[in-house]
Amino acid sequence: MKKVLLFLLTAYLSGPVLLSLFPWILSNAIFSHQLRLPYFVDLSRPQDVLNHTCNFYLSTEKGVSVGVWHTLPVSQWDAAVGKHLDWYHETLGDGRPIVIYLHGNVGSRAISHRVKLVKVLSAAGYHVLSLDYRGFGDSTGDPSEAGLTADALYLYHWAKAQSKGSPVCLWGHSLGSGVATNTAVKIQEQGSAVDAVILEAPYTRIGDVIADNLLVKMYTLLPGVESLLWNLLEKINISFANDENLKTLSSPLLILHAEDDNIVPYRMGQKLHQIALQARKESNSEARVQMITYRGNLGLSHSHICLDPDLSDVVQTFLQT
């Protein structure tokens, strides 16, 4: 029994030590990009999981190629029969809104709940561009906060160039919410503004989500562990600070969050909503800020807001306004 207790104590104490020596462990845990779920989907063949979707790649910087799926609005399906990639690109200028979907950590653009959301948006009449950041899915390169933001920013400018003035919206889920607000702020710094930003299950900043994890809470009993966590995040240059970004974001904003979210606490979405409202008040901005709450008894949790039968109406009303 003593040996077992000693082993457990040693294992417990070794966690912070290992992170201090190898901070890349924390980075890999945040992105979890090496879990390439689902394993047996050919990402170059989106038609296996999504109707009227084409696959293509963009070189966002030297040595980095990212995979993107373009799913057409349902109204375009008949016209798409037999068409090739260039035709798909041309349709982005047909006046219909374009949604750039920035997914969370783990897996690729083919995970089931991501596919379900794309189907909802397609049925609502939108073009959807689903991006796998560098290191995710079949995209090359290694993930970092700066890298993911650069990939999303490149795709946004590419889509804007194809759009012929059609509105382009950023939709960020979970980890992708930080990518979305980072990208939107970068676009503002370049002298423009994203037409709309939708955040699904967003956090205040990534460190707050990590600190709220049950396993991590066990370690906060040890003195200095909490400050170690924040120091490590600073060392690996990962913050995804939605709370700071929303203080300057000028685009219309919609937040979607479920009360029973077991990954990103619902209170974080509430806090971001309040931050955005206060920022608009201080700047006398009339850009819309809205939050939709999903009751816990619906069971939508962290990844299944796409199952809300009214989601397309919510998004259409927001974007039209």
Side-chain angles (χ1 to χ4, degrees), residues 143-275:
S144 64
E145 178 171 359
L148 269 61
T149 303
D151 293 340
L153 185 62
Y154 188 97
L155 177 57
Y156 172 83
H157 285 305
W158 179 89
K160 203 67 177 173
Q162 308 292 322
S163 71
K164 298 179 182 177
S166 299
V168 179
C169 166
L170 296 177
W171 183 307
H173 172 238
S174 193
L175 177 70
S177 67
V179 181
T181 63
N182 277 356
T183 303
V185 168
K186 289 280 187 185
I187 291 165
Q188 282 183 198
E189 292 171 352
Q190 295 172 353
S192 185
V194 178
D195 293 302
V197 176
I198 298 176
L199 304 180
E200 178 188 358
Y203 45 82
T204 44
R205 56 182 59 207
I206 202 68
D208 294 333
V209 180
I210 298 171
D212 195 72
N213 182 274
L214 182 59
L215 180 62
V216 174
K217 283 182 177 179
M218 292 171 56
Y219 280 101
T220 55
L221 299 173
L222 297 174
V225 167
E226 191 167 351
S227 60
L228 171 65
L229 169 64
W230 291 103
N231 289 336
L232 287 174
L233 287 170
E234 184 176 355
K235 188 173 184 179
I236 60 178
N237 295 314
I238 296 179
S239 61
F240 289 113
N242 282 325
D243 52 359
E244 288 299 316
N245 288 339
L246 292 192
K247 291 178 181 178
T248 58
L249 185 69
S250 62
S251 302
L253 173 67
L254 173 63
I255 296 174
L256 309 171
H257 216 137
E259 292 177 336
D260 61 334
D261 192 322
N262 59 352
I263 304 295
V264 178
Y266 170 69
R267 67 176 183 276
M268 292 190 187
Q270 287 181 304
K271 185 172 181 179
L272 291 177
H273 184 222
Q274 292 304 314
I275 289 173

Side-chain angles (χ1 to χ4, degrees), residues 37-218:
L37 304 172
Y39 291 116
F40 304 109
V41 171
D42 183 350
L43 295 172
S44 68
R45 289 181 49 84
Q47 61 268 31
D48 293 341
V49 293
L50 268 172
N51 289 325
H52 298 91
T53 298
C54 71
N55 177 69
F56 64 98
Y57 300 92
L58 294 174
S59 295
T60 56
E61 62 183 52
K62 187 176 180 179
V64 176
S65 172
V66 298
V68 183
W69 282 354
H70 173 195
T71 303
L72 294 171
V74 167
S75 58
Q76 290 271 35
W77 284 10
D78 290 340
V81 177
K83 297 301 194 299
H84 298 289
L85 184 60
D86 288 343
W87 182 87
Y88 272 77
H89 289 347
E90 289 175 4
T91 64
L92 291 171
D94 64 9
R96 294 176 177 85
I98 300 165
V99 176
I100 295 177
Y101 178 57
L102 306 169
H103 65 64
N105 67 351
V106 181
S108 69
R109 55 199 186 276
I111 282 185
S112 61
H113 69 264
R114 296 167 186 166
V115 169
K116 289 175 183 175
L117 175 64
V118 172
K119 289 179 178 178
V120 170
L121 296 175
S122 171
Y126 306 126
H127 292 275
V128 187
L129 300 175
S130 304
L131 168 69
D132 266 334
Y133 324 104
R134 63 187 67 194
F136 287 77
D138 57 351
S139 300
T140 63
D142 298 310
S144 64
E145 178 171 359
L148 269 61
T149 303
D151 293 340
L153 185 62
Y154 188 97
L155 177 57
Y156 172 83
H157 285 305
W158 179 89
K160 203 67 177 173
Q162 308 292 322
S163 71
K164 298 179 182 177
S166 299
V168 179
C169 166
L170 296 177
W171 183 307
H173 172 238
S174 193
L175 177 70
S177 67
V179 181
T181 63
N182 277 356
T183 303
V185 168
K186 289 280 187 185
I187 291 165
Q188 282 183 198
E189 292 171 352
Q190 295 172 353
S192 185
V194 178
D195 293 302
V197 176
I198 298 176
L199 304 180
E200 178 188 358
Y203 45 82
T204 44
R205 56 182 59 207
I206 202 68
D208 294 333
V209 180
I210 298 171
D212 195 72
N213 182 274
L214 182 59
L215 180 62
V216 174
K217 283 182 177 179
M218 292 171 56

